Amino acid sequence: MLILGIETSCDETSAAIVKNGRLVLSNIVSSQVNLHKKYGGVVPEIAARAHIENIIPVIRDCFDQAKKKWQDIDAIAVTYGPGLITSLLIGVETAKTLAYVKDKPVVAVNHLEGHIYASWLKPTRNFQFPISNFQFPILCLIVSGGHTMLVLMKNHGEYRTIGQTRDDAAGEAFDKVAKLLKIGYPGGPVIEKWAKKGNAEIFDLPRPMINSKDFDFSFSGLKTAAIKQVKSARLKMQSKKEIADLCVSFQQAAVDVLVFKTIKAAKECKVKSVMLAGGVAANKLLRRTLRDRLKKELPNTLYLAPDISFCTDNAAMIASAGYFHAKNKDFTSWQKLEARADAELGDSP
Ligand code: KG4
Ligand code: ZN
């Protein structure tokens, strides 16, 4: 089964063609980073305008790269939410129009569900996976620019949120700290780069809520602590060394909390697999620390993380999630399809 995926929930315009939910035949991502860089964050109106300009060329490129034609496509999967409403609308209206004109069924995909299925994607035909099938129950740590959640997945489409951030998302905290340090946007990759040259012993940052009894997180406190350090007399000069030292401490504190709570939840919920998902899953320290801690403390638990190229927003993950719905004929008629900024994981569209 071939699914065309469309993703426009934030600032990437993306289209992909994926075979049987796994093999990526094409995945075109047109990033708007350069447009939003100077504002230090995504400007919704600019994002929506860029999506309008890019969506048709991106879809065309994705057909060309996959060497497929419309008649090969079985269904269109599109992100309907959550995300920026003005951005979501472009993908949804495009999908509706194409579904009508090309007479294809539509699957409405939740963006977070898409991130979960990113671990399932095969970037090349020869790519070897540790698994041939999902091993449920799976504990998913979803960490992105808008969300930080621990989700228990008992089967395809069965989600229960057991913990989440009470304030900022993990990616949002990376972005805000980087903005304050004036080191670039998006914050995650730049902080990771700077952290390589830093000394983790210089700044002592807190691990908010690490000992709370629940599985919730708080990243606003960590961000504020980092900001206080930046504003302190010592950091006024903002030397390269100080920036690197702050980045390494901030990254370590964020990773410590995420990994600690994930391991705790995995033990309590007795899951078979632990999965990392979302843009922050691209962080190498997070990937390595979670993998090593799992190996040590829960050696029989399978560790799943997407290929780095599928961590941040892309349409291949939407096509993969769409495949599992399409297999069950879980379609939404194009007349009823609507973008929903506040869609929740497990909601029906
Ligand atoms: O999933 P995503 O592409 O968009 C949302 O759905 O929000 O995630 C974007 C977020 C940004 O906050 C970005 O700073 C963060 O993911 N991110 C990272 C890394 N790469 C992207 N955070 C930490 N380390 C990274 N290497
Ligand atoms: Zn995302």
Side-chain angles (χ1 to χ4, degrees), residues 8-312:
T8 65
S9 68
C10 190
D11 62 339
E12 334 272 7
T13 317
S14 181
I17 296 179
V18 175
K19 187 176 175 183
N20 295 335
R22 201 155 206 199
L23 181 63
V24 181
L25 302 185
S26 65
N27 183 38
I28 309 292
V29 182
S30 169
S31 169
Q32 304 174 8
V33 164
N34 288 335
L35 292 178
H36 302 287
K37 224 185 212 162
K38 62 178 168 203
Y39 306 103
V42 179
V43 182
E45 289 76 9
I46 294 177
R49 237 174 283 147
H51 284 310
I52 293 175
E53 284 170 16
N54 294 335
I55 189 76
I56 300 298
V58 162
I59 292 174
R60 242 183 232 142
D61 285 358
C62 109
F63 273 94
D64 289 350
Q65 199 182 84
K67 299 190 177 58
K68 296 291 172 194
K69 301 208 176 325
W70 269 105
Q71 56 264 37
D72 304 319
I73 300 296
D74 295 287
I76 301 171
V78 61
T79 307
Y80 77 98
L84 299 171
I85 191 67
T86 42
S87 289
L88 288 165
L89 274 169
I90 314 304
V92 165
E93 290 306 314
T94 305
K96 286 166 82 162
T97 311
L98 291 172
Y100 171 65
V101 174
K102 305 289 183 188
D103 194 21
K104 301 287 176 189
V106 183
V107 184
V109 175
N110 181 293
H111 181 76
L112 301 174
E113 188 175 36
H115 275 302
I116 288 174
Y117 280 87
S119 279
W120 197 237
L121 292 169
K122 214 167 145 69
T124 60
R125 264 175 213 283
N126 302 329
F127 189 86
Q128 291 296 318
F129 271 105
I131 43 159
S132 57
N133 219 334
F134 285 87
Q135 294 186 19
F136 295 109
I138 304 175
L139 176 71
C140 312
L141 172 66
I142 307 175
V143 267
S144 69
H147 295 82
T148 301
M149 301 164 84
L150 275 168
V151 173
L152 197 57
M153 188 179 177
K154 286 212 171 141
N155 210 329
H156 293 291
E158 282 182 41
Y159 307 103
R160 187 160 66 86
T161 302
I162 60 167
Q164 57 192 316
T165 183
R166 297 203 182 163
D167 37 60
D168 291 352
E172 188 181 357
F174 273 90
D175 294 339
K176 285 179 177 169
V177 170
K179 186 174 181 179
L180 191 88
L181 291 170
K182 300 191 181 75
I183 54 174
Y185 166 84
V190 283
I191 288 187
E192 180 168 30
K193 206 164 146 207
W194 275 89
K196 283 188 193 138
K197 296 184 203 123
N199 176 355
E201 305 299 315
I202 308 296
F203 295 106
D204 187 21
L205 294 176
R207 270 69 175 155
M209 291 188 70
I210 199 160
N211 292 319
S212 70
K213 290 206 165 61
D214 49 30
F215 300 124
D216 284 350
F217 302 93
S218 164
F219 284 97
S220 163
L222 174 58
K223 176 198 68 189
T224 310
I227 290 172
K228 265 195 195 152
Q229 300 277 10
V230 175
K231 291 190 173 158
S232 75
R234 235 165 18 116
L235 253 184
K236 280 235 166 81
M237 283 164 57
Q238 298 219 346
S239 75
K240 285 193 171 162
K241 190 188 167 310
E242 283 168 329
I243 292 175
D245 292 344
L246 191 76
C247 285
V248 73
S249 292
F250 173 79
Q251 178 178 252
Q252 188 65 59
V255 166
D256 281 352
V257 182
L258 290 168
V259 172
F260 185 90
K261 286 269 166 108
T262 306
I263 300 279
K264 184 176 152 193
K267 284 180 181 165
E268 275 186 37
C269 301
K270 299 189 172 51
V271 291
K272 286 208 173 134
S273 321
V274 168
M275 178 189 274
L276 200 48
V280 185
N283 186 280
K284 294 197 185 65
L285 180 72
L286 175 61
R287 296 167 78 94
R288 205 173 52 230
T289 314
L290 186 57
R291 184 199 62 199
D292 294 350
R293 287 282 306 280
L294 263 179
K295 208 170 172 183
K296 203 166 154 213
E297 296 187 37
L298 291 166
N300 297 323
T301 307
L302 192 68
Y303 168 61
L304 302 165
D307 187 79
I308 299 249
S309 59
F310 300 127
C311 288
T312 46

Side-chain angles (χ1 to χ4, degrees), residues 321-333:
Y323 164 78
F324 288 93
H325 287 286
K327 260 201 341 185
N328 295 331
K329 305 246 175 305
D330 180 13
F331 298 118
T332 302
S333 75

